[in-house]
Amino acid sequence: MEHDVWKSIYERFYRPLYLYALSLCRNRDDAEDLVQSTFLKAFLSYEEGGSIRYWLTKVLQNEYYNLFQRRKRLVFEAGY
């Protein structure tokens, strides 16, 4: 996809993705990080065809799951 197309996608889906991320993690900084990593990974891996909204949502869900797993592992390794 071209730069202008991704810019349009970012402008259209940033807010809904941010609100969804915020509902998952309940932390503004984490929500912002999730959305940014979502767009980066989607930009690098999206193959045309299919719903971009669905793809972005799936990437965000996976990013949240990865964040949750990393934090769970850190807590476990710290012995809490």
Side-chain angles (χ1 to χ4, degrees):
M1 286 189 178
E2 296 198 21
H3 178 267
D4 291 340
V5 173
W6 277 106
K7 181 179 177 193
S8 175
I9 290 169
Y10 181 85
E11 290 169 352
R12 180 175 176 197
F13 292 109
Y14 171 82
R15 183 161 173 75
L17 285 173
Y18 174 77
L19 293 174
Y20 180 53
L22 188 58
S23 75
L24 292 173
C25 59
R26 295 177 170 77
N27 178 291
R28 290 179 182 191
D29 292 333
D30 288 342
E32 178 67 33
D33 289 345
L34 284 173
V35 173
Q36 294 303 320
S37 63
T38 294
F39 275 108
L40 176 62
K41 289 194 175 179
F43 176 74
L44 295 173
S45 62
Y46 180 71
E47 295 179 16
E48 291 190 52
S51 168
I52 187 72
R53 179 183 208 120
Y54 174 79
W55 180 248
L56 290 169
T57 302
K58 286 306 284 180
V59 173
L60 187 128
Q61 289 169 344
N62 289 339
E63 286 299 290
Y64 174 71
Y65 177 76
N66 292 338
L67 174 68
F68 179 78
Q69 289 300 322
R70 280 192 305 272
R71 288 192 176 159
K72 192 168 126 182
R73 187 174 56 247
L74 289 174
V75 168
F76 178 75
E77 290 173 358
Y80 292 108

